[in-house]
Amino acid sequence: MARAIWSGSISFGLLNVPVKLYSAVSKQTVRFRELREGDGSRVKHKRVAESDGKEVPYEKIVKGYEYAPDQYVVLTKDELADLEPQRSRAIEIQDFVDLDDIDPIYFEQPYYLGPDAGAERAYALLVQALKESRKVAVARFVLRNKEHLAAIRPMGDVLTLTTMRFHDEVTSPGDLDGDVFEDAKPKKPDQRELDMAKQLIESLTSDFQPDRYRDEYREELLDLLERKADGKEVVSAPTEEPQPTKAPDLMAALEESLAAVRGDEAESDGKGKAKAKSGSGSKSSSKSKSSSRSKSSSSSNGRKSRSRGKSKARS
């Protein structure tokens, strides 16, 4: 059973809806321990002072802000505690906005909000009101001694809360011009190239299905660890980096990619009809779509992707 990591209430107007906060993600990071080469002994890290190399106990460590090279303003634990945001249990809604008005770059960590005991009716009311108005609530709340900006919106019959970055935490694209475009400003594309690129995008457009996208690196890493744990020999597969498409080759690459996608779609339609009779049409369709994307990428780059190269080397 999921455990709530925070409890409080959603507050707007005179309405207060008691809620509980639950994590919405389960990170699947593969974690390693640091070991000494040779005997596999665990390595521990110690806090030591730069001046004399002596270990510093935790209770003797203070926080310092470097305002100039090697010059610090030190704050005590009491001073930091006085500055901490008040531990309010309220998620205070500031505004209601359209979801399309919020650029995804502002989103950080997702959570679920569930109703607390006795708040089921008010909770359901807020869910339905947000659904029908097609609005997102922008709110403030305090979690783990830090004030957060958040977006609240419904997902089915459940409210989600996603913490957001504040405006001054997001770098404007205008501030990156000198770094992003080091050599020259991008030129306006040729209309024929633009039309062809839009056709290619349209031909590869489908509904978003999250389960189609896997962490291939993590899968390959776990497979490698499993094989090494079983004492099997590990052979490194050669990989090649895809080469950038040069400007004079843009049109040719677009035409070849589009032709490959259309050819694969026609082929998959024929196979799909034949296999549908035997009850395996859905699998054929999904495989053909996958192969069409892979072939399109291969033809436009002229090289195989890293993941395909590794899977072929294994087989």
Side-chain angles (χ1 to χ4, degrees):
M1 182 176 179
R3 179 180 296 179
I5 60 176
W6 183 92
S7 62
S9 63
I10 299 175
S11 174
F12 67 102
L14 298 178
L15 187 65
N16 286 285
V17 184
V19 292
K20 292 183 177 182
L21 189 72
Y22 301 86
S23 178
V25 296
S26 176
K27 292 187 177 180
Q28 303 298 318
T29 305
V30 179
R31 302 189 182 277
F32 292 92
R33 299 285 190 184
E34 290 186 327
L35 309 174
R36 182 167 61 189
E37 187 178 8
D39 63 358
S41 177
R42 286 275 299 274
V43 174
K44 292 185 178 180
H45 293 267
K46 295 181 178 181
R47 299 179 180 91
V48 296
E50 286 186 353
S51 59
D52 55 17
K54 293 182 179 180
E55 186 174 358
V56 182
Y58 180 76
E59 61 272 13
K60 294 293 184 180
I61 296 177
V62 296
K63 299 291 181 73
Y65 174 78
E66 188 175 17
Y67 65 92
D70 295 324
Q71 297 186 40
Y72 303 88
V73 173
V74 176
L75 294 179
T76 66
K77 293 179 181 178
D78 290 338
E79 288 173 330
L80 287 170
D82 290 341
L83 291 173
E84 286 181 355
Q86 294 182 353
R87 296 188 179 185
S88 170
R89 287 291 175 183
I91 301 174
E92 298 179 358
I93 293 178
Q94 309 283 296
D95 299 289
F96 291 93
V97 302
D98 292 330
L99 178 59
D100 290 342
D101 288 346
I102 305 176
D103 193 291
I105 200 171
Y106 285 97
F107 293 134
E108 279 191 308
Q109 182 77 11
Y111 297 91
Y112 290 124
L113 283 171
D116 210 338
E120 294 83 2
R121 184 177 177 184
Y123 179 90
L125 174 65
L126 182 55
V127 170
Q128 194 61 32
L130 286 173
K131 275 185 181 179
E132 295 192 9
S133 63
R134 302 181 66 82
K135 298 293 182 182
V136 175
V138 178
R140 290 175 178 267
F141 79 114
V142 177
L143 176 65
R144 299 190 181 102
N145 298 328
K146 184 179 184 299
E147 186 178 39
H148 294 272
L149 191 66
I152 300 173
R153 55 184 173 138
M155 178 184 287
D157 296 327
V158 177
L159 288 176
T160 66
L161 179 148
T162 304
T163 56
M164 298 171 61
R165 298 176 179 89
F166 287 97
H167 176 71
D168 57 0
E169 295 178 306
V170 178
T171 302
S172 169
D175 297 335
L176 300 176
D177 281 352
D179 298 318
V180 176
F181 306 118
E182 294 179 0
D183 298 327
K185 291 277 188 179
K187 297 179 180 178
K188 186 176 181 181
D190 179 79
Q191 189 60 44
R192 285 185 64 236
E193 294 174 346
L194 181 60
D195 292 340
M196 190 71 71
K198 289 164 67 176
Q199 287 182 49
L200 181 58
I201 291 172
E202 183 63 30
S203 66
L204 295 173
T205 297
S206 63
D207 294 331
F208 177 60
Q209 301 175 35
D211 58 351
R212 286 179 54 191
Y213 309 101
R214 309 186 322 274
D215 187 342
E216 295 181 2
Y217 169 76
R218 180 168 57 86
E219 291 177 358
E220 292 174 2
L221 178 59
L222 290 173
D223 180 56
L224 173 63
L225 291 171
E226 185 177 347
R227 284 185 287 136
K228 291 202 73 170
D230 292 339
K232 296 178 181 178
E233 184 181 356
V234 178
V235 180
S236 298
T239 59
E240 293 184 28
E241 290 294 328
Q243 297 298 311
T245 305
K246 296 181 180 179
D249 302 327
L250 276 177
M251 198 64 192
L254 287 167
E255 290 174 345
E256 188 177 353
S257 299
L258 193 56
V261 172
R262 287 173 175 170
D264 286 338
E265 285 178 348
E267 183 180 348
S268 66
D269 287 344
K271 289 182 178 179
K273 290 178 181 178
K275 291 190 177 183
K277 296 179 181 179
S278 61
S280 60
S282 60
K283 291 183 180 179
S284 172
S285 175
S286 63
K287 286 182 179 179
S288 63
K289 281 187 177 181
S290 177
S291 67
S292 69
R293 298 179 197 283
S294 299
K295 289 182 180 179
S296 171
S297 175
S298 176
S299 60
S300 61
N301 291 327
R303 296 179 182 272
K304 295 177 181 176
S305 68
R306 168 180 166 273
S307 59
R308 290 182 64 202
K310 284 192 177 181
S311 61
K312 286 201 171 186
R314 271 188 206 162
S315 61

